[in-house]
Amino acid sequence: MSVRKFVIPALIAVPVLIVAAVFMVVPGRFGGATQTGSPDTPAVVRALAQEGLQDLRPFDTGTGTELRGFAGTAGQQPIALYVLRDGTAIVGTRIDANGNPLDMERIDDLLTQPTSETVWSKLAAASWVQDGKADAPRVVYTFSDPNCRFCNRFWASARPWVDAGKVQLRHVMVGVIKPDSRTKAAAILGAPDRTAALLRNEQQYASGGIAPAPGVPPEIADTLAAHEQLMAELGFRGTPGIVYRDETGAIQRVNGMPRPEALATVLGTL
Protein backbone atom coordinates (compact mmCIF):
# COMPACT_ATOMS: atom_id res chain seq x y z
CA MET A 1 0.00 0.00 0.00
CA SER A 2 1.38 3.38 -1.00
CA VAL A 3 1.42 6.29 1.41
CA ARG A 4 0.50 8.59 -1.49
CA LYS A 5 -3.14 7.53 -1.23
CA PHE A 6 -3.30 9.44 2.04
CA VAL A 7 -2.42 12.79 0.49
CA ILE A 8 -6.08 13.83 0.25
CA PRO A 9 -6.14 16.22 3.18
CA ALA A 10 -8.99 17.61 5.16
CA LEU A 11 -9.00 18.13 8.88
CA ILE A 12 -11.17 20.77 10.52
CA ALA A 13 -10.51 21.98 14.06
CA VAL A 14 -12.31 24.50 16.20
CA PRO A 15 -9.61 25.92 18.34
CA VAL A 16 -8.37 22.57 19.59
CA LEU A 17 -11.29 20.22 18.99
CA ILE A 18 -11.47 18.09 15.89
CA VAL A 19 -14.90 18.45 14.33
CA ALA A 20 -14.48 16.41 11.15
CA ALA A 21 -11.94 14.52 9.13
CA VAL A 22 -11.98 12.69 5.84
CA PHE A 23 -9.19 10.20 6.33
CA MET A 24 -8.18 8.37 9.45
CA VAL A 25 -5.19 6.06 9.73
CA VAL A 26 -5.44 3.18 12.18
CA PRO A 27 -2.30 1.51 13.58
CA GLY A 28 -1.84 -2.06 12.50
CA ARG A 29 -3.49 -1.72 9.08
CA PHE A 30 -0.18 -1.75 7.25
CA GLY A 31 1.60 -4.98 6.51
CA GLY A 32 5.31 -5.06 7.25
CA ALA A 33 5.41 -2.24 9.81
CA THR A 34 8.10 -2.81 12.42
CA GLN A 35 9.16 -1.13 15.62
CA THR A 36 11.60 1.44 14.26
CA GLY A 37 12.59 4.96 15.23
CA SER A 38 12.40 6.59 18.62
CA PRO A 39 10.54 4.60 21.31
CA ASP A 40 8.13 7.49 21.88
CA THR A 41 7.25 7.72 18.19
CA PRO A 42 3.60 6.62 17.78
CA ALA A 43 3.09 3.24 16.14
CA VAL A 44 1.01 4.76 13.34
CA VAL A 45 3.86 7.13 12.45
CA ARG A 46 6.34 4.25 12.33
CA ALA A 47 3.90 2.29 10.17
CA LEU A 48 3.57 5.13 7.68
CA ALA A 49 7.35 5.56 7.62
CA GLN A 50 7.59 1.90 6.63
CA GLU A 51 5.11 2.59 3.84
CA GLY A 52 7.21 5.41 2.40
CA LEU A 53 6.42 8.58 4.35
CA GLN A 54 9.77 10.37 4.59
CA ASP A 55 11.49 13.22 6.45
CA LEU A 56 9.21 12.80 9.48
CA ARG A 57 9.61 15.56 12.05
CA PRO A 58 7.38 16.33 15.05
CA PHE A 59 5.95 19.79 15.61
CA ASP A 60 3.98 21.44 18.39
CA THR A 61 0.26 21.78 17.70
CA GLY A 62 -0.35 23.82 20.84
CA THR A 63 -2.84 21.22 22.11
CA GLY A 64 -0.64 19.36 24.57
CA THR A 65 -1.16 15.61 24.28
CA GLU A 66 -4.56 15.94 22.61
CA LEU A 67 -3.06 16.13 19.14
CA ARG A 68 0.54 15.39 18.19
CA GLY A 69 1.75 16.82 14.90
CA PHE A 70 4.25 15.32 12.46
CA ALA A 71 5.40 16.76 9.15
CA GLY A 72 6.63 14.50 6.38
CA THR A 73 6.90 14.12 2.63
CA ALA A 74 5.26 11.70 0.23
CA GLY A 75 6.78 11.80 -3.23
CA GLN A 76 8.39 15.17 -2.37
CA GLN A 77 4.99 16.59 -1.41
CA PRO A 78 4.81 17.96 2.16
CA ILE A 79 1.99 16.57 4.28
CA ALA A 80 0.85 16.86 7.89
CA LEU A 81 -0.01 13.91 10.10
CA TYR A 82 -1.96 14.39 13.34
CA VAL A 83 -1.95 11.62 15.95
CA LEU A 84 -4.88 11.47 18.37
CA ARG A 85 -4.71 10.26 21.97
CA ASP A 86 -6.19 6.88 21.01
CA GLY A 87 -3.26 6.21 18.65
CA THR A 88 -5.14 6.75 15.42
CA ALA A 89 -4.07 9.50 13.05
CA ILE A 90 -5.44 11.91 10.49
CA VAL A 91 -3.60 13.04 7.38
CA GLY A 92 -4.59 16.49 6.25
CA THR A 93 -4.73 20.22 6.87
CA ARG A 94 -5.84 21.54 10.26
CA ILE A 95 -8.23 24.49 9.94
CA ASP A 96 -9.25 27.00 12.62
CA ALA A 97 -12.73 28.24 13.43
CA ASN A 98 -12.46 30.94 10.75
CA GLY A 99 -11.49 28.50 8.02
CA ASN A 100 -7.80 29.41 8.00
CA PRO A 101 -5.22 26.63 7.65
CA LEU A 102 -3.03 26.05 10.68
CA ASP A 103 0.55 24.79 10.96
CA MET A 104 1.49 25.44 7.33
CA GLU A 105 4.34 27.79 8.26
CA ARG A 106 5.72 25.26 10.77
CA ILE A 107 5.58 22.48 8.21
CA ASP A 108 7.24 24.65 5.58
CA ASP A 109 10.04 25.61 7.97
CA LEU A 110 10.60 21.96 8.91
CA LEU A 111 10.59 20.51 5.42
CA THR A 112 11.34 23.01 2.68
CA GLN A 113 15.06 23.50 3.26
CA PRO A 114 15.94 19.85 4.08
CA THR A 115 13.82 18.58 1.18
CA SER A 116 15.37 21.10 -1.21
CA GLU A 117 18.88 20.06 -0.22
CA THR A 118 18.03 16.37 -0.66
CA VAL A 119 16.57 16.92 -4.12
CA TRP A 120 19.45 19.14 -5.22
CA SER A 121 22.01 16.58 -4.00
CA LYS A 122 20.31 13.78 -5.92
CA LEU A 123 20.29 15.86 -9.10
CA ALA A 124 23.93 16.84 -8.64
CA ALA A 125 24.84 13.15 -8.34
CA ALA A 126 23.13 12.28 -11.64
CA SER A 127 25.11 11.84 -14.86
CA TRP A 128 23.99 15.15 -16.29
CA VAL A 129 25.29 16.77 -19.46
CA GLN A 130 26.66 20.30 -19.07
CA ASP A 131 25.20 23.00 -21.28
CA GLY A 132 26.70 26.38 -20.44
CA LYS A 133 29.67 27.82 -18.60
CA ALA A 134 30.94 25.92 -15.58
CA ASP A 135 31.00 29.11 -13.50
CA ALA A 136 27.50 30.31 -14.46
CA PRO A 137 25.83 31.78 -11.36
CA ARG A 138 22.57 29.89 -11.90
CA VAL A 139 22.12 26.14 -12.42
CA VAL A 140 18.93 24.65 -13.84
CA TYR A 141 18.36 20.92 -14.19
CA THR A 142 16.17 19.55 -16.94
CA PHE A 143 15.12 15.97 -17.63
CA SER A 144 15.54 15.71 -21.39
CA ASP A 145 14.66 13.11 -24.01
CA PRO A 146 16.56 13.40 -27.33
CA ASN A 147 13.25 13.07 -29.22
CA CYS A 148 11.33 15.61 -27.12
CA ARG A 149 10.30 18.64 -29.16
CA PHE A 150 9.45 20.61 -26.03
CA CYS A 151 12.93 19.87 -24.63
CA ASN A 152 14.31 21.26 -27.85
CA ARG A 153 12.14 24.36 -27.52
CA PHE A 154 13.34 24.88 -23.96
CA TRP A 155 16.95 24.43 -25.09
CA ALA A 156 16.42 27.07 -27.81
CA SER A 157 14.55 29.46 -25.51
CA ALA A 158 17.34 29.27 -22.92
CA ARG A 159 20.10 30.23 -25.40
CA PRO A 160 20.18 33.95 -24.46
CA TRP A 161 20.79 33.07 -20.79
CA VAL A 162 23.26 30.26 -21.56
CA ASP A 163 25.19 32.24 -24.19
CA ALA A 164 25.44 35.21 -21.82
CA GLY A 165 27.04 32.98 -19.19
CA LYS A 166 24.14 33.55 -16.80
CA VAL A 167 22.80 29.97 -16.69
CA GLN A 168 24.21 26.48 -16.88
CA LEU A 169 21.63 23.91 -17.95
CA ARG A 170 22.28 20.38 -16.73
CA HIS A 171 20.49 17.86 -18.92
CA VAL A 172 19.53 14.66 -17.10
CA MET A 173 19.04 12.39 -20.08
CA VAL A 174 16.18 9.88 -20.28
CA GLY A 175 14.83 7.74 -23.08
CA VAL A 176 11.07 7.50 -22.82
CA ILE A 177 9.36 9.01 -25.86
CA LYS A 178 10.24 6.87 -28.89
CA PRO A 179 11.87 3.46 -29.43
CA ASP A 180 15.17 5.11 -30.42
CA SER A 181 15.16 7.59 -27.52
CA ARG A 182 17.34 5.28 -25.45
CA THR A 183 19.91 4.70 -28.20
CA LYS A 184 20.02 8.44 -28.94
CA ALA A 185 20.49 9.14 -25.23
CA ALA A 186 23.22 6.49 -25.24
CA ALA A 187 24.91 8.27 -28.16
CA ILE A 188 25.01 11.47 -26.09
CA LEU A 189 26.02 9.88 -22.78
CA GLY A 190 28.63 7.66 -24.42
CA ALA A 191 30.23 10.39 -26.55
CA PRO A 192 33.79 11.55 -25.83
CA ASP A 193 32.40 15.10 -25.61
CA ARG A 194 28.89 14.81 -24.24
CA THR A 195 28.25 18.57 -24.42
CA ALA A 196 29.09 18.60 -28.12
CA ALA A 197 26.88 15.55 -28.71
CA LEU A 198 23.97 17.23 -26.96
CA LEU A 199 24.53 20.39 -28.98
CA ARG A 200 24.51 18.37 -32.20
CA ASN A 201 21.22 16.72 -31.27
CA GLU A 202 19.54 20.04 -30.46
CA GLN A 203 20.88 21.92 -33.46
CA GLN A 204 19.90 19.09 -35.83
CA TYR A 205 16.64 18.23 -34.07
CA ALA A 206 14.43 19.22 -37.04
CA SER A 207 16.31 16.82 -39.30
CA GLY A 208 16.26 13.89 -36.87
CA GLY A 209 18.87 14.83 -34.31
CA ILE A 210 21.87 12.75 -33.32
CA ALA A 211 22.37 9.34 -34.89
CA PRO A 212 21.37 6.57 -32.47
CA ALA A 213 24.09 4.43 -30.90
CA PRO A 214 24.20 0.79 -32.11
CA GLY A 215 23.08 -0.31 -28.66
CA VAL A 216 22.85 0.71 -25.04
CA PRO A 217 25.83 -0.48 -22.95
CA PRO A 218 24.90 -1.84 -19.50
CA GLU A 219 26.41 1.08 -17.60
CA ILE A 220 24.44 3.59 -19.69
CA ALA A 221 21.28 1.48 -19.30
CA ASP A 222 21.79 1.70 -15.54
CA THR A 223 22.26 5.47 -15.80
CA LEU A 224 19.06 5.90 -17.81
CA ALA A 225 17.13 3.72 -15.36
CA ALA A 226 18.41 5.80 -12.43
CA HIS A 227 17.49 9.03 -14.21
CA GLU A 228 14.00 7.79 -15.03
CA GLN A 229 13.50 6.68 -11.43
CA LEU A 230 14.59 10.09 -10.18
CA MET A 231 12.30 11.80 -12.69
CA ALA A 232 9.34 9.79 -11.38
CA GLU A 233 10.36 10.40 -7.77
CA LEU A 234 10.25 14.14 -8.39
CA GLY A 235 6.76 13.86 -9.84
CA PHE A 236 7.54 14.35 -13.53
CA ARG A 237 5.56 12.22 -15.98
CA GLY A 238 7.03 13.69 -19.12
CA THR A 239 9.79 15.87 -20.49
CA PRO A 240 11.09 18.42 -20.01
CA GLY A 241 10.99 18.22 -16.24
CA ILE A 242 12.72 21.36 -14.98
CA VAL A 243 14.12 21.95 -11.49
CA TYR A 244 15.56 25.25 -10.25
CA ARG A 245 16.09 27.17 -7.03
CA ASP A 246 13.98 30.25 -6.37
CA GLU A 247 15.23 33.44 -4.69
CA THR A 248 14.89 31.80 -1.25
CA GLY A 249 16.91 28.76 -2.26
CA ALA A 250 13.87 26.48 -2.25
CA ILE A 251 13.48 23.90 -5.01
CA GLN A 252 10.83 24.65 -7.64
CA ARG A 253 9.68 22.32 -10.41
CA VAL A 254 8.13 22.97 -13.80
CA ASN A 255 6.37 20.22 -15.73
CA GLY A 256 6.86 20.81 -19.43
CA MET A 257 7.96 23.81 -21.45
CA PRO A 258 7.56 27.03 -19.43
CA ARG A 259 5.41 29.77 -20.91
CA PRO A 260 7.45 32.63 -22.40
CA GLU A 261 6.49 34.96 -19.54
CA ALA A 262 7.72 32.36 -17.01
CA LEU A 263 11.20 31.90 -18.51
CA ALA A 264 12.70 34.71 -16.42
CA THR A 265 11.34 33.05 -13.26
CA VAL A 266 13.10 29.80 -14.16
CA LEU A 267 16.27 31.21 -15.69
CA GLY A 268 16.66 34.46 -13.77
CA THR A 269 17.27 38.00 -14.94
CA LEU A 270 18.91 38.28 -18.35
Side-chain angles (χ1 to χ4, degrees):
M1 182 182 294
S2 170
V3 73
R4 294 189 186 201
K5 70 174 289 184
F6 303 122
V7 189
I8 323 171
L11 172 63
I12 302 174
V14 178
V16 297
L17 299 178
I18 299 172
V19 175
V22 291
F23 199 92
M24 180 168 285
V25 183
V26 180
R29 288 184 56 189
F30 305 95
T34 58
Q35 300 296 313
T36 61
S38 172
D40 64 347
T41 300
V44 67
V45 175
R46 295 197 300 269
L48 286 175
Q50 291 289 89
E51 294 297 324
L53 190 62
Q54 299 178 330
D55 304 315
L56 280 163
R57 292 173 173 81
F59 64 87
D60 183 12
T61 64
T63 63
T65 60
E66 293 292 329
L67 197 66
R68 296 179 64 185
F70 292 83
T73 57
Q76 307 300 322
Q77 181 176 351
I79 65 170
L81 173 70
Y82 296 92
V83 182
L84 283 68
R85 292 184 69 179
D86 65 0
T88 60
I90 299 168
V91 178
T93 302
R94 194 163 62 121
I95 300 172
D96 68 16
N98 297 315
N100 300 311
L102 299 169
D103 308 321
M104 300 306 293
E105 187 173 343
R106 290 189 187 96
I107 292 167
D108 186 63
D109 289 344
L110 283 169
L111 296 177
T112 297
Q113 189 62 28
T115 300
S116 292
E117 294 305 324
T118 298
V119 169
W120 205 251
S121 295
K122 288 182 178 182
L123 289 165
S127 295
W128 41 268
V129 180
Q130 181 176 322
D131 175 15
K133 294 182 178 179
D135 61 353
R138 190 177 185 91
V139 170
V140 175
Y141 288 93
T142 175
F143 289 91
S144 300
D145 185 301
N147 285 317
C148 171
R149 69 179 184 274
F150 296 108
C151 300
N152 181 251
R153 288 182 190 176
F154 180 59
W155 173 88
S157 297
R159 287 310 91 192
W161 284 265
V162 173
D163 293 344
K166 298 262 181 122
V167 170
Q168 179 194 134
L169 293 183
R170 294 181 175 180
H171 296 262
V172 183
M173 304 305 301
V174 297
V176 295
I177 290 181
K178 293 183 178 180
D180 67 351
S181 287
R182 290 176 61 79
T183 47
K184 284 186 175 182
I188 294 169
L189 292 174
D193 185 340
R194 301 195 306 179
T195 295
L198 174 74
L199 179 64
R200 186 161 64 253
N201 183 72
E202 301 307 326
Q203 288 179 333
Q204 299 175 5
Y205 180 82
S207 57
I210 195 169
V216 182
E219 65 275 12
I220 292 181
D222 290 344
T223 295
L224 291 173
H227 288 178
E228 288 157 20
Q229 181 178 346
L230 181 57
M231 183 173 77
E233 180 183 331
L234 295 180
F236 295 120
R237 296 186 178 180
T239 53
I242 300 164
V243 186
Y244 68 97
R245 285 187 184 271
D246 65 18
E247 62 278 0
T248 71
I251 294 295
Q252 301 296 338
R253 285 164 286 183
V254 179
N255 277 288
M257 171 67 192
R259 295 181 180 275
E261 62 271 19
L263 282 171
T265 301
V266 175
L267 300 172
T269 304
L270 185 59

